[in-house]
Amino acid sequence: RSRLRIRPGKTDLVNGLADLPREPLSDHHGIDRGTPVDRRYIEAFLGARRGAIRGSVLEVEDAAYTTRFGGDRVARSTVVDIDTTNRRATLIADLQVPGSLPSQSFDCIILTQTLHLLRRPGQCLRNCFAALRPGGVLLVTAPSVSRVSPTYPDGDFWRFTPAGIAELFARHWPGDVTVEAFGNLRTCVAFLIGEVVKDLPDAFLDDHDPRFPLTVAVEATKAGHQGAPSAEPAI
């Protein structure tokens, strides 16, 4: 269990904050201790939209969520990565390069915890739009609160508020977009210090406070009548 002890009273809260560890309990978001807190929200989001994960599906780095949530609805699974050493990748491509993804080839693209690692996240969205078939769906998650990436510290560029990611999509995605936010003050603190799902009661994990989003998620669709984005806005 965690060393963090925070109780409702103001005095107890001060004492609890004094008990915060000087170093995180995990240096990798808690994955070495269990299920990271943000994954609870990512997986809940994807689970609620499992019906969209069908046909030809593209996922970044591996096909774990395609397999878990798509099941026998998936006819073809493609794994994209810029890393040529990733043996699970079936497509080597830079998501930020125009035309790097095959045009109108996918019914669903799963893009979890990736946009913040891209210098040009808007170009990635434009690429995904072009790569989806009419009626296709892009499922995105991104951090609103997170430590600097331990794996890519020099390539960790952005954090997204719900309003911020809505604005990014408004500039680069001509289809319908739904934005959700997950988390609260307690889960934000938990994630930063490396606590994991097993450390927190469900009542804490299931409470979503719009003042303190930990993870943002987007479902974006490409309707059949819509064309490609026109002029390319900044970012």
Side-chain angles (χ1 to χ4, degrees):
R1 285 284 179 176
S2 162
R3 287 178 279 169
L4 179 66
R5 297 187 296 276
I6 296 180
R7 298 179 177 86
K10 290 184 179 180
T11 302
D12 289 336
L13 177 60
V14 172
N15 292 336
L17 292 175
D19 288 337
L20 280 169
R22 293 178 63 86
E23 290 293 324
L25 307 176
S26 164
D27 205 32
H28 290 274
H29 307 296
I31 199 163
D32 50 331
R33 302 184 61 243
T35 302
V37 174
D38 68 337
R39 291 213 179 167
R40 162 100 171 212
Y41 300 138
I42 293 166
E43 292 167 7
F45 169 73
L46 294 176
R49 288 158 179 78
R50 64 177 67 241
I53 304 173
R54 57 176 180 79
S56 179
V57 180
L58 177 73
E59 186 172 351
V60 176
E61 192 172 344
D62 62 44
Y65 288 146
T66 300
T67 301
R68 177 173 173 182
F69 296 107
D72 58 8
R73 291 186 304 278
V74 176
R76 180 184 178 190
S77 172
T78 301
V79 174
V80 63
D81 202 335
I82 196 172
D83 183 0
T84 58
T85 67
N86 182 359
R87 295 184 178 181
R88 296 167 296 190
T90 57
L91 173 63
I92 301 299
D94 184 343
L95 296 173
Q96 303 168 100
V97 175
S100 60
L101 299 178
S103 177
Q104 297 197 47
S105 296
F106 306 104
D107 299 294
C108 179
I109 297 175
I110 300 173
L111 194 70
T112 55
Q113 308 305 93
T114 300
L115 286 182
H116 67 296
L117 301 174
L118 303 177
R119 283 188 173 88
R120 301 179 67 195
Q123 182 58 62
C124 172
L125 296 185
R126 295 164 65 85
N127 253 359
C128 289
F129 185 91
L132 282 175
R133 295 167 177 162
V137 178
L138 173 65
L139 301 175
V140 172
T141 67
S144 193
V145 171
S146 179
R147 61 152 292 166
V148 171
S149 170
T151 308
Y152 308 107
D154 297 327
D156 190 346
F157 300 107
W158 317 102
R159 298 294 178 267
F160 294 97
T161 63
I165 204 163
E167 177 65 19
L168 182 70
F169 272 83
R171 295 183 184 188
H172 298 277
W173 192 274
D176 293 334
V177 173
T178 301
V179 177
E180 289 187 70
F182 302 91
N184 56 70
L185 175 59
R186 181 65 180 85
T187 57
C188 286
V189 172
F191 187 60
L192 288 174
I193 67 170
E195 287 187 303
V196 293
V197 168
K198 68 180 180 181
D199 294 326
L200 302 173
D202 287 344
F204 281 12
L205 291 163
D206 294 338
D207 178 39
H208 302 300
D209 186 336
R211 300 175 300 170
F212 301 103
L214 173 63
T215 304
V216 293
V218 180
E219 178 182 24
T221 58
K222 178 178 180 176
H225 67 278
Q226 289 163 332
S230 52
E232 180 179 347
I235 307 178

